[in-house]
Amino acid sequence: KLMRSNRVIENKNNDLTLANKELDRFVYSASHDLRSPISSLKGLVDILKTEEDPEEAKSYLNMMQDILNKQDQFIKDIIDYFDDGDVMILNNTKVFPARMYGNKEKTGARIEVFLLRELNAEQRLWDVLVDPARKIRIGNKLYFGDDDSLVAEVIDNTTSRGRTLRFLYDGSYDEFRRKLTELGETPIPKYINREVTEEDAERYQTIYAKEEGAVAAPTAGLHFSKHLLKKLEIKGIDFAEVTLHVGLGTFNPVEVEDLSKHKMDSEELIITQEACDIVNDAKAKKKKICCIGTTSMRAIESSVSSQRTLNPYTGWTNKFIFPPYDFSIADCMVTNFHTPKSTLLMMVSAFCGHDLMKKAYEEAGLGPQDVSVAVVPSYFVYVMSAASTMSVLRAAILGFMIGRPQ
């Protein structure tokens, strides 16, 4: 148990040291790659069968069965933490079909184009990633579709894999956007090692996804079903929706030793007056305010007034939250466990204190020496600082991998 005041004391004692800005504080090891091809429970079993030690593999399987048996406990317990008038902040961004495949002019080489953000609607300019990048230079053209109905010209290099494309299409802007949707596919994570299906367009979305613009789902929300949201609503929990269009930069590992030197990619953010009214009213009444996911947390912390209330906002944010940091709005958060060196891991450390975060990871079997981190990358950790509790709620593998919880 940890009171908010205790968290502040811990942050002052531990997080204000230079060491807390060092990258090695956010490293833990595992014998498997976290991005291993876990596309289903069967995929997990297949991985475990490759273990050299049969007894170790058996222990993993027993652990996973224990997790799956406790799936209902997550749904039940999260409701018990909230009361009438409490607020959950949801990121209602919607993933669009951002991954496309085209052919290079003359050579016909197949090129993957990952749409990151639209730079100019009128000129149809997009910021993209290309793979393999070494084959794509300024002036090259790419052709999309069996009939080459969509063409893109490379007009700039932005990073080693980044390019700026100008799309050439004979039609209105709305027709152009429909063509992108037609030719694109859902950008499911690479560690789901299978072909994309039509069902992924719906399954790789949160239940409350509305505003199209993300290239990755805010994954904490994938664990919420319509049934769960309805039960929360019946209990009197209010929902405030914000929009942060998640980009790939959110998941890039930090590579600089001094965290203050890390630069986040900008992401589009929209916070409405309606959302502000819901949050600020709850804050004034001293109700609990819980962010569902790190993207919701980063969204609201990007638009805080001098009175520590939430302000409306439309624009872009590149906010990077790492220890030490004084949060202004939310006093609890639901989030997945995160990979080493990620900005998401650093935000959780800043929120609940580094030692408490380590304790949560160890409780879930994600300690520095525990290889089980490789096969359970989608546990939930639930941190409630102001409510004087911190608990680890074990959920099943991500909803889009084995189906949504009912």
Side-chain angles (χ1 to χ4, degrees):
K1 293 184 177 180
L2 183 70
M3 295 295 291
R4 185 181 184 89
S5 58
N6 290 343
R7 176 168 65 86
V8 172
I9 292 172
E10 181 191 357
N11 286 343
K12 288 182 178 179
N13 290 342
N14 299 330
D15 293 348
L16 290 179
T17 64
L18 179 62
N20 210 37
K21 290 187 177 181
E22 294 176 354
L23 188 59
D24 59 9
R25 285 174 59 86
F26 300 94
V27 176
Y28 54 83
S29 59
S31 65
H32 299 289
D33 191 335
L34 273 170
R35 297 166 293 179
S36 55
I38 306 172
S39 58
S40 64
L41 189 57
K42 179 182 181 299
L44 173 63
V45 173
D46 290 342
I47 291 173
L48 295 179
K49 286 180 179 178
T50 66
E51 290 294 325
E52 294 182 3
D53 186 344
E55 288 302 316
E56 191 171 37
K58 184 179 178 180
S59 70
Y60 291 161
L61 287 171
N62 290 338
M63 178 188 64
M64 289 307 304
Q65 187 60 54
D66 180 58
I67 296 167
L68 295 174
N69 289 340
K70 294 181 179 180
Q71 179 177 353
D72 290 339
Q73 185 180 6
F74 166 72
I75 297 173
K76 173 179 66 67
D77 284 358
I78 196 170
I79 293 175
D80 293 341
Y81 280 107
F82 295 94
D83 297 308
D84 184 31
D86 292 341
V87 170
M88 287 186 173
I89 301 176
L90 314 175
N91 182 8
N92 66 8
T93 188
K94 186 175 183 179
V95 179
F96 72 98
R99 185 175 284 124
M100 304 173 63
Y101 293 93
N103 297 102
K104 187 180 176 183
E105 63 177 342
K106 298 181 182 178
T107 67
R110 189 170 188 257
I111 305 296
E112 177 185 321
V113 175
F114 197 104
L115 303 175
L116 294 178
R117 62 179 65 87
E118 187 176 48
L119 301 176
N120 186 298
E122 183 178 354
Q123 298 184 40
R124 300 178 186 178
L125 297 181
W126 280 77
D127 186 17
V128 307
L129 297 178
V130 295
D131 188 26
R134 66 182 184 279
K135 296 183 178 181
I136 304 302
R137 298 182 174 88
I138 294 175
N140 289 160
K141 288 185 178 180
L142 300 173
Y143 294 84
F144 301 88
D146 295 335
D147 57 355
D148 295 339
S149 56
L150 181 64
V151 182
E153 180 182 7
V154 181
I155 64 171
D156 194 15
N157 296 333
T158 54
T159 63
S160 59
R161 291 183 56 210
R163 302 290 187 272
T164 300
L165 298 186
R166 176 187 289 116
F167 283 97
L168 310 173
Y169 183 72
D170 186 17
S172 67
Y173 177 76
D174 288 341
E175 291 172 331
F176 163 65
R177 290 305 299 258
R178 285 196 291 270
K179 177 58 70 171
L180 287 183
T181 299
E182 174 190 329
L183 296 175
E185 65 180 34
T186 303
I188 61 175
K190 291 287 189 179
Y191 58 73
I192 304 179
N193 190 24
R194 61 166 173 77
E195 294 295 321
V196 176
T197 66
E198 292 183 5
E199 290 77 14
D200 288 326
E202 179 181 353
R203 296 171 70 192
Y204 190 45
Q205 306 283 3
T206 62
I207 286 295
Y208 44 81
K210 294 178 182 176
E211 304 297 332
E212 190 173 83
V215 300
T219 52
L222 290 174
H223 295 268
F224 286 73
S225 65
K226 289 181 179 179
H227 180 63
L228 174 56
L229 290 180
K230 189 63 178 179
K231 290 175 70 175
L232 290 165
E233 182 182 348
I234 291 172
K235 191 169 182 180
I237 285 81
D238 294 321
F239 301 100
E241 296 186 6
V242 298
T243 304
L244 181 69
H245 291 315
V246 185
L248 289 184
T250 295
F251 308 100
N252 289 340
V254 175
E255 297 179 346
V256 293
E257 191 65 28
D258 184 348
L259 303 186
S260 64
K261 305 298 183 184
H262 177 71
K263 302 299 181 184
M264 291 281 288
D265 289 348
S266 293
E267 297 171 327
E268 190 173 7
L269 170 63
I270 301 170
I271 302 175
T272 64
Q273 183 64 57
E274 179 184 2
C276 293
D277 292 342
I278 294 171
V279 171
N280 293 335
D281 183 61
K283 185 177 175 68
K285 295 177 180 177
K286 301 189 183 303
K287 297 292 185 177
K288 287 194 288 288
I289 300 174
C290 181
C291 281
I292 307 303
T294 55
T295 61
S296 297
M297 182 70 80
R298 188 151 47 86
I300 63 173
E301 287 296 323
S302 297
S303 186
V304 177
S305 73
S306 57
Q307 289 78 38
R308 300 173 70 87
T309 58
L310 186 61
N311 278 341
Y313 183 83
T314 299
W316 296 77
T317 179
N318 62 351
K319 192 172 189 65
F320 173 34
I321 298 175
F322 61 94
Y325 185 86
D326 186 18
F327 291 82
S328 299
I329 305 291
D331 45 29
C332 49
M333 174 170 62
V334 177
T335 182
N336 288 314
F337 286 98
H338 305 295
T339 54
K341 298 185 180 181
S342 66
T343 61
L344 312 177
L345 185 69
M346 294 165 190
M347 178 191 292
V348 175
S349 172
F351 185 73
C352 66
H354 198 77
D355 291 342
L356 190 58
M357 181 191 73
K358 287 171 59 179
K359 181 179 179 182
Y361 274 55
E362 290 166 1
E363 170 69 17
L366 303 180
Q369 306 303 320
D370 197 323
V371 296
S372 63
V373 63
V375 295
V376 286
S378 55
Y379 270 125
F380 256 172
V381 58
Y382 180 70
V383 181
M384 282 188 74
S385 54
S388 306
T389 185
M390 188 280 178
S391 25
V392 177
L393 301 176
R394 297 184 173 184
I397 296 298
L398 282 177
F400 62 86
M401 293 185 184
I402 61 173
R404 295 187 186 281
Q406 298 299 318

